[in-house]
Amino acid sequence: MPDSEESILITPILDSGVLPPPRPRKRILGLIVGFGIGIFFVFIVDKFGSAKSQSGLTLLDYFISVGLAVTIHEFGHLTAGWLVGFHFSHISVGPLSIKLQYGRLKVRILRGLGALGYAGMHIETVKGVRRSLLLYTAAGPAANLISGMLAVLLVNSAFPSLRTTWVAPFATGFSVLSLLIGLMSLVPYGKTLRSDGARIWMLLNSPDRTRRWITAAALASQQRRGVLPRNWKRTWLKAVCSVRDASVDEISGNVLAYIAASDVDDAPTAATHLERCLELAPLSPPASRDFVAREASYFCAWFRSDATLAERWISQVKRSKLTVPLLQIRTNIALDCARHRFDDAISGWQKGTDFIERLPLTPIQGPLLESWREWGDQIRDRKRRQEVVAGSSDIRLIGSGGCSSNES
C-alpha cells in the first residue's frame, strides 16, 4: 500500500478506511408534508364525496390510493419509454422493487429508497434521445393528471349509479392524491434524487448536465450489449464526469469511470473516481453506500494488497445480502489475494466462473466470462510470483544459516 504523503493527499478517505456518515434525512419535513396531504385528502373527500356513501374512508383507503397513484405514475414512465424504444430495467413502488438483473427478474423489498417510486429503462442509441427522454420524463406526471381527472369523470358521468356507493369517495380521494402527486413531481427540486420537473428543466436548459445524463445511459447500454468497460468510448467517459454538482448523476458518472479504469488496471485514475464517490457518500442512498464501500474494499485488496484496510471497508457494508452474488465473490477473491491465500482465491474464482456460466444467454455473458478468465490468469500469475518470492526467501535463510554455522 502506498503510504507516502502524496497518496494520502490524493485519496484521504480511501486511505482512512472510514465511510463518511450519511447526511441526516429531513424526516420531520416529510412527515409534516405527508400529514398535511392526509388532512387535505380527508377534507376534500368529506366535502365532495357523496353524503350517501356507505362508509367513510379509512387509513387503508388512503394508502391504497397513494400506492395506486404512484404505480400509475411509474407505469406512465415505462409506457412512454416502451413507445420510444427504451427497454425495461427496474421499477420500485414503495419498498417493492422489481429489477432485471443478468436477464432475470429479481423481486426485492428495499428500505430507504428515498422516493415513493422509481422507474428505470435502458436506451439503445443516443440519436434523438433528448426528445425521447423528455417524453419519458413527462409521461409520469401526465399519467397522474389524466388518471386523476378520469376517476371523477367516470364516477360522476359514465357510471352515476356508483355515486351512492363507497366507490365515489374512494375515486374522489384517489383523484386528489393523483393530481397532487402529478403536480408536485413537476416542481423542479432535488439533487441526489431529482424530481421529474428537475429532469425536464435540465433537458431544456442545461446542455452539459443533459449530455452527462445521456452519456451515462449510453455507457450502461454498451455494457448491456456486452461491450467490456475497457472498450467504452473515452469521450463518453469524460462527459459523465464533466460536471461537479454533488448530484446523483455525478455519483453515477464517477462509478462508471471507476469501473472503466479498473478494467484496464489504471489504479491512479480508478482511485481518483472512487475517492469522489466516497466524498459523495453522505448524499447517496444505502444501496449506493454499500456498493462504494465494497468497491473500496476490492480496490485496497487488489490494487494495494492491503488486507487490513480492505477488511475495514468491507465491514462497513450494511446489507451484504442485497449485493449481486458475483460482486461478493469478486471482493472475497481480492481479499484472499491480499492475504496471500491464493488457493482460496482460485477456488473462489472457479465459483465465479460457474456462476457466470449458469447465467441466461445474454449479450453480456460471453464478454463477462472472457474478462473473468483473464482475471483468473492474473490471479495465477500472482500466485507464481509469490511462490518465487517465498522460495528466494527460503534460499536466503538457508544461506544465512550456513554462514552462521561456519563462523561459529
Side-chain angles (χ1 to χ4, degrees):
M1 167 184 168
D3 55 1
S4 64
E5 182 179 354
E6 181 182 2
S7 170
I8 295 175
L9 290 174
I10 293 174
T11 57
I13 302 177
L14 181 60
D15 297 337
S16 72
V18 178
L19 187 66
R23 185 179 64 179
R25 296 183 184 177
K26 298 178 181 179
R27 296 183 182 272
I28 295 179
L29 179 60
L31 288 173
I32 292 174
V33 172
F35 185 69
I37 292 176
I39 292 177
F40 183 65
F41 173 81
V42 173
F43 170 76
I44 293 295
V45 171
D46 182 65
K47 186 173 180 63
F48 296 101
S50 173
K52 297 180 181 180
S53 59
Q54 295 177 356
S55 62
L57 283 172
T58 63
L59 185 62
L60 180 60
D61 296 321
Y62 173 71
F63 285 113
I64 291 175
S65 297
V66 171
L68 182 59
V70 172
T71 301
I72 289 173
H73 182 103
E74 302 310 332
F75 271 94
H77 286 307
L78 294 180
T79 302
W82 280 320
L83 290 175
V84 298
F86 296 172
H87 296 276
F88 175 78
S89 171
H90 59 274
I91 181 173
S92 297
V93 176
L96 178 65
S97 173
I98 303 174
K99 183 176 183 179
L100 188 64
Q101 188 178 90
Y102 295 126
R104 296 170 178 163
L105 282 177
K106 300 287 186 180
V107 180
R108 289 177 175 174
I109 302 298
L110 301 178
R111 294 182 301 167
L113 179 64
L116 289 175
Y118 188 81
M121 302 193 79
H122 294 297
I123 67 173
E124 290 298 332
T125 176
V126 297
K127 185 178 180 180
V129 74
R130 177 175 167 272
R131 185 177 302 174
S132 298
L133 285 171
L134 273 171
L135 178 61
Y136 166 74
T137 306
N144 280 134
L145 298 177
I146 293 171
S147 63
M149 291 184 289
L150 282 178
V152 173
L153 289 175
L154 286 174
V155 172
N156 291 331
S157 300
F159 303 100
S161 61
L162 295 176
R163 283 182 290 182
T164 58
T165 69
W166 63 269
V167 176
F170 180 84
T172 303
F174 166 76
S175 177
V176 170
L177 285 174
S178 192
L179 291 171
L180 277 175
I181 289 174
L183 292 172
M184 289 175 63
S185 65
L186 287 173
V187 178
Y189 67 89
K191 293 182 76 174
T192 53
L193 284 171
R194 292 186 184 275
S195 67
D196 294 327
R199 286 295 187 195
I200 293 171
W201 186 94
M202 180 191 73
L203 288 165
L204 294 175
N205 298 284
S206 180
D208 290 340
R209 289 177 171 83
T210 297
R211 185 166 184 262
R212 177 181 63 183
W213 192 33
I214 291 174
T215 50
L219 287 170
S221 177
Q222 281 197 321
Q223 185 180 36
R224 198 169 66 93
R225 291 200 302 267
V227 179
L228 292 174
R230 69 192 70 167
N231 298 323
W232 289 350
K233 290 187 178 181
R234 300 296 107 180
T235 53
W236 289 0
L237 287 169
K238 184 177 180 180
V240 292
C241 301
S242 60
V243 182
R244 290 174 65 95
D245 57 357
S247 67
V248 64
D249 292 339
E250 186 187 356
I251 297 171
S252 300
N254 277 279
V255 167
L256 290 168
Y258 160 78
I259 292 172
S262 298
D263 197 43
V264 294
D265 293 331
D266 184 356
T269 302
T272 299
H273 292 295
L274 182 57
E275 180 71 13
R276 182 58 180 161
C277 292
L278 292 169
E279 290 174 6
L280 298 174
L283 308 175
S284 304
S288 296
R289 288 174 57 83
D290 281 351
F291 174 81
V292 172
R294 183 173 292 279
E295 287 305 312
S297 176
Y298 166 81
F299 182 90
C300 292
W302 181 253
F303 287 105
R304 296 184 173 178
S305 298
D306 190 332
T308 302
L309 189 57
E311 289 167 355
R312 194 182 307 166
W313 277 115
I314 200 64
S315 68
Q316 296 175 76
V317 175
K318 302 297 184 182
R319 304 173 187 179
S320 58
K321 291 183 179 179
L322 298 180
T323 304
V324 176
L326 193 60
L327 288 180
Q328 292 181 337
I329 295 171
R330 172 174 165 265
T331 306
N332 292 336
I333 292 171
L335 279 164
D336 284 332
C337 289
R339 299 166 181 144
H340 295 167
R341 289 166 21 189
F342 291 102
D343 289 336
D344 291 340
I346 293 172
S347 176
W349 175 85
Q350 185 58 55
K351 181 180 178 182
T353 303
D354 296 338
F355 176 84
I356 296 172
E357 289 177 341
R358 289 195 302 268
L359 291 176
L361 292 177
T362 59
I364 197 175
Q365 187 200 36
L368 181 61
L369 187 58
E370 174 190 346
S371 177
W372 191 261
R373 285 170 176 165
E374 290 176 3
W375 194 38
D377 292 337
Q378 294 179 6
I379 295 169
R380 284 184 283 269
D381 182 61
R382 288 195 179 192
K383 179 184 178 182
R384 285 190 293 268
R385 281 185 287 160
Q386 178 62 29
E387 289 172 347
V388 170
V389 171
S392 300
S393 299
D394 290 342
I395 292 172
R396 283 197 299 270
L397 286 172
I398 293 172
S400 174
C403 291
S404 298
S405 175
N406 290 336
E407 287 173 1
S408 62

